[in-house]
């Protein structure tokens, strides 16, 4: 949790969402692949109490996975989904993306013990491969939103602005919106 907070508060807007997703995915995948390789080669059991140097490195790799994953994929997806959708459907889309995030976290939490007991080191290789696929997806499909306003997301994603007024341009809609906000801020004076 601390890594997620530090990344979201101090690192995210300096480095950028896309770059942090890529670096975090690569670091997390490296850790998963090492753990999978160690389990495949050393074949540790619950009865074996003696740890080798590779076992200590595997323990460190668990922490490295947590740091890289929490600094990137754990928190950025929540920020990203709240930025990219148009205002008229943002609430619905954030609800859908949040529910999908929780659903798959539940699926992973419930399936991991069965995966470890049935396929052993393949579990770590599977999750490392998934992290590599997420990184490739972030590289090719995730545009950088660092420093962009919420209003400019439609241009970034190539969406057309839907105008509910008759044939108004974006400048006219913006001027009308600003005039409405100015009128709502001014408070009429009351006479005594």
């Amino acid at each position: 949790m601390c890594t997620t907070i530090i990344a979201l508060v101090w690192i995210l807007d300096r480095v950028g969402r896309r770059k942090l997703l890529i670096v975090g995915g690569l670091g997390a995948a490296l850790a998963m692949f090492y753990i999978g390789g160690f389990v495949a080669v050393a074949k540790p059991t619950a009865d074996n109490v003696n740890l080798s140097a590779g076992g200590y490195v595997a323990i460190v790799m668990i922490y490295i996975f947590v740091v890289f994953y929490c600094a990137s994929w754990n928190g950025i997806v929540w920020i990203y989904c709240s930025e990219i959708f148009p205002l008229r459907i943002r609430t619905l889309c954030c609800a859908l993306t949040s529910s999908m995030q929780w659903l798959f976290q539940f699926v992973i939490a419930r399936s991991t013990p069965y995966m470890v007991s049935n396929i052993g080191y393949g579990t770590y290789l599977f999750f490392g491969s998934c992290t590599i696929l997420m990184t490739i997806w972030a590289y090719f499909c995730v545009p950088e939103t660092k420093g962009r306003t919420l209003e400019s997301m439609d241009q970034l994603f190539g969406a057309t602005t839907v105008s509910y007024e008759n044939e108004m341009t974006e400048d006219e809609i913006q001027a009308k919106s600003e005039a409405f906000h100015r009128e709502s801020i001014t408070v009429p004076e009351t006479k005594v």
Side-chain angles (χ1 to χ4, degrees):
M1 186 164 108
C2 293
T3 306
T4 302
I5 292 171
I6 290 169
L8 292 181
V9 172
W10 289 291
I11 299 173
L12 183 66
D13 283 330
R14 290 189 178 121
V15 175
R17 287 113 173 96
R18 183 172 176 257
K19 192 180 295 184
L20 204 53
L21 287 173
I22 293 169
V23 169
L26 290 175
L30 174 72
M32 282 287 112
F33 287 139
Y34 178 84
I35 296 168
F38 172 76
V39 171
V41 171
K43 297 181 183 18
T45 62
D47 302 332
N48 188 359
V49 222
N50 299 328
L51 271 178
S52 64
Y56 285 112
V57 173
I59 292 170
V60 170
M61 285 296 172
I62 291 171
Y63 290 106
I64 288 174
F65 170 81
V66 169
V67 167
F68 276 100
Y69 186 81
C70 287
S72 58
W73 289 92
N74 188 43
I76 294 176
V77 294
W78 298 95
I79 302 292
Y80 203 79
C81 77
S82 66
E83 291 177 336
I84 63 173
F85 296 111
L87 185 60
R88 67 186 181 282
I89 59 170
R90 184 170 293 148
T91 306
L92 175 64
C93 292
C94 285
L96 289 173
T97 56
S98 297
S99 62
M100 290 304 292
Q101 174 86 352
W102 284 109
L103 174 67
F104 280 100
Q105 286 180 0
F106 175 77
V107 168
I108 289 170
R110 294 293 293 165
S111 63
T112 300
Y114 298 109
M115 291 173 71
V116 169
S117 65
N118 291 324
I119 59 175
Y121 70 89
T123 305
Y124 304 104
L125 300 179
F126 172 76
F127 286 129
S129 300
C130 287
T131 310
I132 288 291
L133 290 175
M134 293 179 340
T135 303
I136 292 169
W137 176 79
Y139 182 79
F140 288 110
C141 300
V142 174
E144 181 59 65
T145 61
K146 177 181 94 168
R148 298 190 69 110
T149 62
L150 293 176
E151 291 78 20
S152 68
M153 291 298 164
D154 286 346
Q155 294 171 339
L156 179 65
F157 286 95
T160 57
T161 304
V162 176
S163 171
Y164 295 107
E165 302 290 331
N166 293 333
E167 302 297 325
M168 290 180 71
T169 66
E170 279 193 50
D171 293 333
E172 292 171 331
I173 294 171
Q174 183 69 24
K176 192 172 185 178
S177 174
E178 290 171 0
F180 174 77
H181 288 297
R182 277 194 303 274
E183 290 172 8
S184 64
I185 292 174
T186 56
V187 179
E189 295 179 19
T190 57
K191 294 183 181 179
V192 183

